[in-house]
Amino acid sequence: MDDLTSGQVETLRDLARKKTGEAVGFVNIADARALTELGLAHRSQEGWDITPEGTALLARDAPPPANVDPG
């Protein structure tokens, strides 16, 4: 996610929360369009949606859970 702006990362996170059914506010259209060009989001009748590629990017860069025993 080093190539994304902080606004694009936040928009991607908002879209991920939206996908789970959580209520999210308005997204920045410029950020959403940029994510669309990168294949991380797409436009639907319901607004902007995260793509599988966007979900994978967030999962890859997510920190590990704090309660995991490193073994």
Side-chain angles (χ1 to χ4, degrees):
M1 286 200 297
D2 294 335
D3 295 338
L4 301 180
T5 67
S6 60
Q8 291 167 345
V9 171
E10 187 58 34
T11 297
L12 195 60
R13 289 181 179 144
D14 285 344
L15 295 178
R17 286 192 296 275
K18 176 184 170 190
K19 183 177 180 179
T20 66
E22 193 174 323
V24 297
F26 293 104
V27 299
N28 180 296
I29 293 173
D31 289 337
R33 283 185 175 174
L35 293 172
T36 298
E37 290 176 16
L38 296 170
L40 303 174
H42 67 89
R43 182 86 165 119
S44 70
Q45 291 181 347
E46 292 80 32
W48 301 95
D49 296 312
I50 193 168
T51 62
E53 293 82 3
T55 301
L57 180 65
L58 286 179
R60 185 192 74 205
D61 289 338
N67 61 352
V68 172
D69 183 4

